[in-house]
Amino acid sequence: NRQMADFLALEAAKEPFHHIHGAGKDGYPVLLKLLREKGVDLADHPALQVREYIYDMPLVMAAADLVLCRAGASTIAEITAIARPAVLVPSPNVGVPALIVPSPYVTNNHQEKNARVLENAGGAAVLLEKDCSGQALFQAACGILHDGARRASMERAMSALGIRDATERIYQTVLEICQ
């Protein structure tokens, strides 16, 4: 959320795109305070929405041109199923506190491995937490959102990775196992 405060402050100066950010229960008041300290009053910037939680995530993700997120398995499944380009900031390996979202520890560096699969396929940009800042996130987002051809290419790559019939596949596997 500290990095997103910097990101949102950069956006407030230009408002190049509409942004919805879920800060989390504990992060929400902190993020609002950080924005006030940076002179950003969200009431003056209708294109910037900071929410405690995004309760309508399927709708928001479906409407998004770009998703900025961690790289957990469920999130990867969601963004590939809806073919959304992404900037991924994988949670660091176990023992290293995460700075952006409340998932502070991961095992075997699986989030970076997940993210690299999407990056190698051309569907995502990856920023490691150690290299991540509000400025770096803002530049990555702008680079994708202001390049229609790149975004379309990323969408195609994500679509090729997506498994839209996962529920049916799981159901059929369970049926096979139970027979």
Side-chain angles (χ1 to χ4, degrees), residues 78-170:
E78 290 170 350
I79 61 177
T80 57
I82 62 171
R84 288 301 171 269
V87 175
L88 301 172
V89 182
S91 287
N93 209 6
V94 169
V96 180
L99 301 174
I100 296 180
V101 296
S103 185
Y105 304 105
V106 298
T107 53
N108 299 322
N109 206 24
H110 77 272
Q111 285 202 11
E112 183 177 351
K113 292 172 185 173
N114 293 344
R116 295 295 182 196
V117 169
L118 274 59
E119 178 184 51
N120 292 337
V126 176
L127 282 174
L128 296 180
E129 184 136 348
K130 67 182 181 66
D131 303 321
C132 194
S133 67
Q135 179 71 37
L137 284 166
F138 183 75
Q139 288 176 336
C142 285
I144 295 166
L145 289 168
H146 292 165
D147 184 343
R150 180 179 180 199
R151 199 170 60 251
S153 174
M154 292 175 83
E155 288 172 2
R156 286 189 299 275
M158 293 297 257
S159 181
L161 293 169
I163 301 173
R164 283 162 279 294
D165 66 340
T167 303
E168 181 62 26
R169 289 182 186 196
I170 292 168

Side-chain angles (χ1 to χ4, degrees), residues 6-115:
D6 292 336
F7 184 108
L8 289 160
L10 290 166
E11 282 184 293
K14 300 175 185 177
E15 293 195 44
F17 33 80
H18 188 93
H19 182 163
I20 300 172
H21 176 69
K25 181 181 179 186
D26 294 333
Y28 182 74
V30 173
L31 182 53
L32 294 180
K33 179 180 180 278
L34 290 169
L35 288 171
R36 282 192 302 276
E37 290 171 0
K38 294 177 180 302
V40 177
D41 182 350
L42 291 174
D44 296 334
H45 302 283
L48 307 180
Q49 291 183 32
V50 175
R51 301 179 185 178
E52 182 176 293
Y53 187 76
I54 301 174
Y55 291 100
D56 54 346
M57 186 63 81
L59 180 65
V60 169
M61 285 178 90
D65 291 319
L66 177 69
V67 177
L68 283 78
C69 58
R70 291 293 194 187
S74 294
T75 301
I76 295 298
E78 290 170 350
I79 61 177
T80 57
I82 62 171
R84 288 301 171 269
V87 175
L88 301 172
V89 182
S91 287
N93 209 6
V94 169
V96 180
L99 301 174
I100 296 180
V101 296
S103 185
Y105 304 105
V106 298
T107 53
N108 299 322
N109 206 24
H110 77 272
Q111 285 202 11
E112 183 177 351
K113 292 172 185 173
N114 293 344

